[in-house]
Amino acid sequence: MLDRSYYQKTDEIMENYPKEESALIPIIQDVQEEYHYLPPELLEYIAKKIGITETKAYSVASFYVNFSFEPKGKYVIKICDGTACHVRSSIPVLQRLYKELGLTPEKNTTEDMLFTVETVYCLGACGLAPALTVNDVVHPAMTPEKAAALIQELRGAEHDKV
Amino acid sequence: MDSASCRILICAGTGCQAGGSAQIYARMCQLAQTVDHVSIEYGAEIAHSPHTVHIHKSGCHGFCEIGPLMRIEPQGISYMKVSLSDCEEIFERTVKNGELIHRLLYVEDGKEYVHQEEIPFYQKQTRLVLKNCGHIDAESVAESVAYGGYQSLAKAIFHMSREEVIQNILDSNLRGRGGGGFVVGKKWKQVASQKELTRYVVCNGDEGDPGAFMDCSIMEGDPHKMIEGMVIAAYAVGAKEGYIYVRAEYPLAVKRLKIAIVQAEEVGLLGDNILGTDFCFHLHINRGAGAFVCGEGSALTASIEGKRGMPRVKPPRTVEQGLFAKPTVLNNVETFANVPMIIENGAQWYRSIGPENSPGTKAFALTGSIKNTGLIEVPMGTSLREVIFDIGGGIRGSAGFKAVQIGGPSGGCISDKDLNLSLDFDTLKQRGAMIGSGGLVVMDQNTCMVEVARFFMDFTQRESCGKCAPCREGTKRMLEILKRIVAGEGEMHDLQKLRDLADMISNTALCGLGKSASLPVISTLNAFADEYLEHIQDKKCRAGVCQQLKKYKIDPGACKGCSKCARHCPVQAISGELKSPFTIDQEKCIKCGACLTNCSFNAIHIE
């Protein structure tokens, strides 16, 4: 069961949209932006409010790759494997990230909920290939070494806070 | 230089922002405040008031390779690869005293270029659609208007009938820039002639092709140009509502479009009673949610309706029953951005650019193993050779040209034999490729073409919406075969199987995504057949890319016999005696590369 604040926040988000089917995607995008993932309870709650079945809501949310029912880490690293990045060796960067963080394509979030690694097709920063983003901030011209250093830096920033 | 009339434009395109241009912008603003006789004016004051330095964020200049870029007006000085630590010097020397800082200028073949326009990369282009990108503040409607924005809208509304606007676009023979190349005027005419009076104008800003970012740059750099095109379309077909569907991976484009819509509404160029007439048009933004198939018309409209983005059987076509089952004009970003200049200069002028059947210019995203990556615009009909070698500056590194991939997953690979091909819709189609949205990814000899085919098939297979069996199952089977070939397990009859599957899928798939899914495979099979044969018969990947075909070998001369490699080998494939050269058993080796990374003497090589 989710905390009540989740439902309150969802209500706030829904105030910006009409209560109809066409608002489903924008609403769940906003909810996901808030929590870094789409809590299934909230998807069901939204479905009821806009008058569509839970099944329908799930069928839409599961169709689009941007929606995730699993919680994601604090830092979502999206590594671009578009054509430009691919031919400039994005895969070795991905492999290094997996190695640094002990992740695999199947398990892509670290135990401490700090990092999630995803591959995407094209971030539109092809001139700077290979590129990755950390929470939407673009890091250009990556190499496996730079990727490892970036992880160290982010970990360090976390450590300093504690 | 007199700082009284100084304008500083800092590129805030995705590329330059990645290089820290936002921090540079902040620093420049900060520096301007420290000087007494200089005040900063944010926003869009075009008339220069005395003692004012205007600092603006512009959209993409196109030459991403040398970013972050800074342009100083009115002299038009262009600085490249600017860093935070350069800001103070730029301010003290260039802004206050008019001196040039030579190390920040662009240099090619020993020649120094002060002005951006003189750089060979720009000299050989015809920038019409991208004219304002990088030169105006993308977050200001006033600046857009000062540069001629919305003049064509006024001309259309006050001096042309709806029919005249459509006829003009039809006469210009403008063809859709999203890939298919359908004649835009025809689409508009069909929508305008429907009985149903509720109509929509939809802009496809999904740009899902990996390796393409021109629509992104237009939305980020000159959003009003595209919006103006949409409003003209709405006027022509009698639409009151419009939607812009933008990829979620383009947060900056979404932000800029939102600002543009609000500002255009405030000054009466959008919304109710446009320019004081009774013509009303409202624009909404929808963010995509990560499905490539949503670039297809009927899938895109389904997604805006809040459904799964799946294409449907046609007819009825989008012009008859598109968004919410109403007649819909659906064009992409670059297409709409072409509209204002056609209205402004006339159809005849437009037809004078490029070849008869594909007039106008085309923006391309030039990326991959090329010296000058970035966003370019050339007349249709320019050859690939000119684009790659004259504008792109040729191949980066020493590996030499191998192929250029055009049109993303719906396009094909072109080898050096076809470099003189004219870049237009019809020529490329004849060669089994496609302009697509305009991604040009240049590949050098270090690229394995079989692996590239596998890469694209992996993409289409994952992005298939799954509605029709040919695409869902067929691409899966093709991918399995390609995976076997790159793993060194391919057989000769696989090649025929690939061709048969490709035929079947392109003839029977429901939508354009499926129909074109096999193009990357067929085009590489045709142009690079010898590489497929090497993988299958010789178990060799000449580019050294395919992991399973790599052979790890120990150089006996360099090996000191320390046994470190053997200790790190997870499958005990390495043996030998201490202080004598070790050897790798190729049968046991799983090509993990652990030996290579652990060798302290550089004695292990890949063959």
Side-chain angles (χ1 to χ4, degrees), chain A residues 15-30:
Chain A
E15 275 169 27
N16 301 321
Y17 299 96
K19 298 224 171 352
E20 55 192 43
E21 186 182 355
S22 66
L24 174 68
I25 296 173
I27 293 171
I28 57 180
Q29 277 171 331
D30 286 1

Side-chain angles (χ1 to χ4, degrees), chain A residues 21-22 25 29-30 33 59-60 62-67 81-84 86-88 121-124 126-128 138 140, chain B residues 15 18 210-211 213 247-248 250 287-290 303-309 367-368 373 396 451 455-456 458-459 462:
Chain A
E21 186 182 355
S22 66
I25 296 173
Q29 277 171 331
D30 286 1
E33 213 164 284
S59 95
V60 173
S62 62
F63 178 81
Y64 297 98
V65 291
N66 288 4
F67 297 118
D81 192 29
T83 324
H86 189 78
V87 302
R88 280 203 198 170
Y121 287 113
C122 206
L123 295 162
C126 317
L128 312 157
V138 183
Chain B
F213 57 100
R247 288 189 70 181
Y250 291 168
R287 281 171 295 158
S303 182
I304 296 178
E305 290 165 14
K307 300 181 179 125
R308 300 183 128 207
T367 61
T373 57
R396 145 199 310 251
E451 215 286 322
F455 169 80
F456 279 108
D458 184 57
F459 177 87
R462 280 190 214 202

Side-chain angles (χ1 to χ4, degrees), chain B residues 390-464:
Chain B
D390 296 347
I391 298 172
I395 306 303
R396 145 199 310 251
S398 57
F401 176 84
K402 185 182 254 185
V404 54
Q405 209 283 337
I406 181 163
S410 311
C413 291
I414 289 171
S415 71
D416 56 353
K417 286 189 206 84
D418 284 332
L419 275 182
N420 293 328
L421 277 189
S422 142
L423 280 167
D424 65 73
F425 292 112
D426 307 322
T427 310
L428 284 178
K429 209 168 176 183
Q430 281 165 13
R431 292 298 172 114
M434 197 164 124
I435 281 199
S437 54
L440 284 177
V441 184
V442 178
M443 297 164 183
D444 65 12
Q445 298 293 343
N446 291 327
T447 313
C448 169
M449 299 315 289
V450 187
E451 215 286 322
V452 165
R454 184 212 58 82
F455 169 80
F456 279 108
M457 197 40 73
D458 184 57
F459 177 87
T460 346
Q461 192 269 322
R462 280 190 214 202
E463 293 294 328
S464 170

